[in-house]
């Protein structure tokens, strides 16, 4: 899908002086949320960017949020769709990408046709946070996560909360399995989580170390 909004060649980072406990940190307790977020957008290309330095503070440390929001309840047409996140470097962050299928506070449209492909995720978690690489919640459609390489300390893929994800693809990725690998809310890791939250998904050609 041709993009109407393009973000390419940018450096998105939080100053380390905002991080409590870092040598030379400012005494102010800063509100830190994320590096990139879409709440109501379509036909977006995010390609060839460097995103770094994000940690849990006001939020849980995910660097990238594709989370549809009908912010004040008056815009039920809000949607995140036709988004490509490709060939970016995401490093030194608490967690990777969080995708939300529907607004869990007000009514919204369904998040759909998201492609996360060919990215490098380095130093995700550890001293920075939980290390969750990809989190997909509440009924997305046609999300494709392909050909990414990651060094992560937590879950590779986490599905949860309410509706399953239809048309999901998780192919040809390289990541660290760690304790759990693929998991979900209230389900056993592996096949049980895939069956509950990603029925009929394509999960092939991955290397989970």
């Amino acid at each position: 899908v041709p993009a109407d909004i393009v973000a390419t060649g940018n450096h998105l980072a939080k100053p380390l002086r905002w991080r409590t406990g870092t040598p030379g940190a400012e005494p102010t307790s800063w509100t830190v949320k994320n590096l990139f977020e879409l709440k109501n957008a379509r036909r977006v290309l995010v390609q060839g960017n460097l995103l770094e330095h994000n940690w849990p503070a006001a939020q849980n440390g995910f660097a990238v949020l594709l989370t549809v929001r009908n912010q004040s309840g008056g815009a039920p047409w809000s949607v995140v769709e036709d988004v490509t996140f490709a060939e970016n470097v995401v490093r030194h962050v608490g967690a990777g990408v969080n995708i939300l299928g529907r607004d869990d506070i007000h009514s919204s449209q369904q998040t759909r046709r998201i492609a996360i492909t060919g990215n490098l995720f380095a130093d995700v978690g550890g001293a920075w946070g939980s290390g969750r690489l990809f989190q997909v919640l509440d009924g997305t459609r046609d999300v494709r996560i392909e050909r990414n390489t990651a060094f992560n300390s937590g879950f590779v893929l986490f599905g949860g909360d309410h509706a399953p994800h239809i048309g999901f693809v998780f192919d040809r990725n390289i990541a660290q399995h760690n304790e759990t690998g693929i998991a979900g809310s209230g389900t056993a890791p592996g096949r049980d989580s895939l069956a509950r939250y990603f029925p009929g998904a394509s999960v092939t050609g991955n290397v989970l170390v």
Side-chain angles (χ1 to χ4, degrees):
V1 176
D4 293 329
I5 303 171
V6 177
T8 184
N10 299 292
H11 181 203
L12 307 178
K14 296 286 170 48
L16 289 178
R17 67 179 184 275
W18 292 358
R19 188 182 183 212
T20 301
T22 298
E26 297 177 358
T28 302
S29 181
W30 289 97
T31 296
V32 173
K33 291 190 173 182
N34 53 69
L35 295 172
F36 182 83
E37 180 175 14
L38 296 178
K39 294 183 177 181
N40 181 22
R42 57 163 52 103
R43 295 163 64 97
V44 179
L45 173 63
V46 183
Q47 184 175 30
N49 303 282
L50 172 60
L51 298 84
E52 62 181 346
H53 301 155
N54 197 74
W55 55 90
Q59 292 180 338
N60 54 16
F62 277 95
V64 177
L65 274 65
L66 307 178
T67 48
V68 58
R69 292 295 180 192
N70 172 3
Q71 195 71 28
S72 58
W77 55 83
S78 298
V79 70
V80 175
E81 65 182 10
D82 297 315
V83 176
T84 298
F85 186 85
E87 300 170 9
N88 302 287
V89 175
V90 181
R91 65 188 185 188
H92 315 315
V93 296
V97 181
N98 185 22
I99 305 173
L100 180 64
R102 294 184 187 273
D103 191 337
D104 56 349
I105 301 173
H106 302 292
S107 61
S108 74
Q109 302 302 303
Q110 184 180 36
T111 298
R112 55 199 172 189
R113 297 189 298 276
I114 307 296
I116 301 174
T117 180
N119 302 284
L120 172 63
F121 296 86
D123 192 20
V124 178
W128 296 94
S130 70
R132 287 191 181 189
L133 185 56
F134 301 111
Q135 178 170 279
V136 190
L137 305 178
D138 203 5
T140 63
R141 178 174 288 274
D142 298 330
V143 171
R144 304 178 65 88
I145 301 175
E146 300 177 293
R147 297 185 294 105
N148 301 283
T149 299
F151 300 89
N152 54 295
S153 67
F155 299 115
V156 175
L157 173 65
F158 185 87
D161 295 347
H162 311 304
H165 308 284
I166 305 304
F168 185 79
V169 174
F170 190 82
D171 289 350
R172 293 173 291 164
N173 301 286
I174 302 173
Q176 293 179 259
H177 182 280
N178 300 308
E179 183 177 359
T180 310
I182 297 174
S185 297
T187 53
R191 293 185 183 276
D192 286 350
S193 295
L194 288 172
R196 165 64 180 88
Y197 292 109
F198 305 99
S202 173
V203 182
T204 62
N206 301 289
V207 177
L208 304 185
V209 181

